[in-house]
Amino acid sequence: MYDQVVALQRAVHDRAGAAVALQWRGYLATTVGAYQSALRDLREAVREGTAVRNPTPVAWASLSLAGIALDFGDAEEAAAHAARARASFQQSGDQLGASNALGVMGDMARAAGDIDTARARYSEALAAALVERRAASAFALLRGMADLSMMEARWERAAQELDSARVIGRSAGMRGAEEGMLSQELLLALRRGRLDDAEQLLRRSSRTEAQRGRAPGIARVLGAEYHGRRGNVDSAQADLTLALDEMDRWRADLDERQLRQAVFEAETFWADADLGFATVLALLARAGRVGAALELAERRRARELLDRLLRDEALSDRAIGGIERISAREGIRNRSRFYYERSISSEALQAALPDERTALLEFVTGRGGEPTTLFVVTRGGLTAHQLAPIDSLAPAIARFVRYAESGVAAPALASALGEALLGEALRAPPPAVTQLVIVPDDVLHRVPFDALSLAGVTAVVDRFGISTVPSAAVARTLWQRGQRSAAGEVLALGDPIIARRGGLPAEAGAPVGRDGTLPSLPYTRIEVRRVARLAAPAHVRLAGDASESWLRRTPLERYGIVHLATHAWVDHRSLRRTAVALSAGDGEDGFMRPADFAALALDADVVVLSACGTAGGVVMRGEGVLGLTAPLLVSGARAVVATGWRVGDRAAARLVGDFYESLVTGASVGEALRAAKVAARRRGAPVSEWAAFGIVGNATVRPRPVAQH
């Protein structure tokens, strides 16, 4: 119907009417998970409404755009949309809309952990909702405020806010309101230690989920925590296993549209985003069920990685007739095979380790005082170590990263964090272990682990090589992928001609020149040519030849090493503003974004992203870093060398040159990068230069085509 309305309004050039219809069609598309269609319609509604000076469709479309941006982890874009929505609502005198915009702004602050701002926004919106007798809005806002109180461990205040929400729901005759609160009340009862109340709520919540036909996992996971707190480890493990089993069976019966809706509508409690999962795993590990705990952790991590793929796929569908779509199911399957394995036993993981020198360290943590568990897998066995809650370590981690980026040595902090994160696990590792493969979680994704120090060791890099992976299952996939079956060439691109366009922030890169381009990076030419001298055969492309168009259109399977030396932007708040810069032309803007890298067909042993901050990105709970490295692994790279922060092109050129010098001798990627870092330390280079570089993927791979002329 909306397709017909939009077509008719366009035929008679009714731009104001078309803006309204586009806004509604875009909103409708969001309710069925057609996000590409939704974004197109909502953005056009904003343009048309702005052109005819009709603030109403601009406001409501902007509010929907803010919600989509928040779902995809783009807080900065969400804030911009919400601010425009509120201003447009105020312009049109729509108090209801302005109040809704305030609520969305509160949601964004809550997602960012800014509790004070979130409470201020919620309080202002709640006052307006109460005056205007909008019960549904007041009910939702009070529940949001209760979440904030639980995030602050203010249990009594949270209980009062939930009581107030219940009263409003009952007085307004809101059917189903109390059932919708059950899981939130159960979570609060568990946090307050009121286990008898939790038992009653657990029974009601389980019945309600079954009656409503919704995802069954929430009550099960909270039930696992309940049994764990009661000391019943068998029931805790059974409930957690059943939660994942039931979720898999439930989703298997959904069609594509229902599956996407389920991914976006998954109920989340900001007060405890993992529903006590980390607590239950710690209980299982302490009870000696280390293998079972690790397997459950991997199943959850794989599910969250797959959910991210489904969300990404929702932004890349081709739309026909509004919200109708051509299925990209096969694309989802292909990428999900890389990430998702329903079950991986600890024994299989041990057997998959490439050698006795490699140990896998997987961190599992949660917020709100939940324990952190570190699983250590070696050929000789599997152990688990309970660490401090991540909340208590996050401030020190942030300080340490700031010091490392600025090149300031912080030996006391490096030692304290090294002991807190690795000390117990590496107190007496098997003597053969020299390579650590780390699966981080939460803020641990930001830690330069090889810059930490241990007892008797100045820096971890002096004893161990470090690499990271999104999950243990991904590590096994990469190890099983092996090396290239045949020798490959080397591709090196450097010093492109970069015009700043495409909406990337000026502050993310160097100042733009008068001709609209970014400054040249002369040392990248030296870097690329040094790579070419060390490797045979080598294909070098510089300046205008180092173009996005060429890279996207050229068959890349023959290259065993791909080296990109250029500018990069990696925004920790916005995946949309993450890109590697190449030369523009032939219809391309010159910016390779994560989705562009995922679309490449690679067969490379290693991709080197020698640019600023290329290992970073948006950190999503459970899913890891959403940036440039994971798409390259999906597209066929076995390992990616990237940087955690800005590095000068001169310093990068020297370290990267040393890295390739080691590869020439037959070293693995991990051995070569560690040797380059140790050499940098010996010549007195600051930590900012050598600790910035890291490996994501299989560090044991040995690129065979590298040979001196």
Side-chain angles (χ1 to χ4, degrees), residues 300-561:
R300 184 190 66 154
R301 200 181 295 266
R303 168 55 61 196
E304 289 171 335
L305 287 166
L306 183 56
D307 281 356
R308 166 54 52 176
L309 291 179
L310 289 167
R311 288 196 289 272
D312 290 347
E313 203 68 43
L315 288 180
S316 61
D317 279 353
R318 301 172 185 174
I320 297 179
I323 63 173
E324 294 301 317
R325 300 164 306 204
I326 294 176
S327 172
R329 194 69 166 183
E330 189 58 35
I332 295 174
R333 288 198 189 101
N334 288 340
R335 290 198 287 162
S336 69
R337 289 190 192 106
F338 179 78
Y339 275 129
Y340 184 63
E341 200 167 345
R342 184 177 177 277
S343 180
I344 177 171
S345 70
S346 55
E347 292 82 7
L349 185 56
Q350 284 180 259
L353 288 169
D355 50 50
E356 294 183 349
R357 296 178 298 170
T358 303
L360 184 137
L361 280 64
E362 179 161 343
F363 292 88
V364 178
T365 191
R367 291 290 179 146
E370 291 199 68
T372 298
T373 303
L374 172 57
F375 297 93
V376 180
V377 185
T378 66
R379 282 279 181 89
L382 169 66
T383 59
H385 309 272
Q386 186 165 319
L387 312 182
I390 201 65
D391 311 75
S392 65
L393 298 175
I397 289 172
R399 289 199 308 275
F400 183 67
V401 172
R402 286 197 301 270
Y403 288 144
E405 287 183 12
S406 62
V408 176
L413 191 54
S415 178
L417 281 176
E419 178 61 28
L421 296 174
L422 301 174
E424 186 175 350
L426 299 182
R427 196 88 64 203
V433 171
T434 58
Q435 182 69 35
L436 306 180
V437 181
I438 295 178
V439 183
D441 199 4
D442 204 283
V443 295
L444 298 176
H445 284 282
R446 304 287 191 215
V447 176
F449 281 93
D450 52 9
L452 301 177
S453 60
L454 298 169
V457 180
T458 306
V460 170
V461 72
D462 291 335
R463 182 172 178 184
F464 301 103
I466 301 285
S467 61
T468 62
V469 288
S471 70
V474 168
R476 186 171 79 159
T477 297
L478 292 170
W479 292 329
Q480 291 175 338
R481 184 181 285 176
Q483 301 193 176
R484 285 176 55 90
S485 58
E489 301 176 33
V490 175
L491 171 63
L493 281 70
D495 195 20
I497 300 171
I498 308 165
R500 191 184 148 268
R501 59 180 78 172
L504 293 171
E507 65 273 14
V512 181
R514 292 182 179 179
D515 60 354
T517 64
L518 289 169
S520 175
L521 296 170
Y523 281 95
T524 65
R525 288 177 171 257
I526 298 173
E527 179 180 327
V528 165
R529 286 169 176 156
R530 185 175 183 185
V531 172
R533 286 197 302 271
L534 292 169
H539 185 185
V540 174
R541 298 185 70 87
L542 297 169
D545 292 333
S547 69
E548 177 191 5
S549 174
W550 185 88
L551 188 66
R552 287 164 63 95
R553 291 166 173 75
T554 301
L556 301 173
E557 292 88 345
R558 74 177 192 264
Y559 298 110
I561 296 175

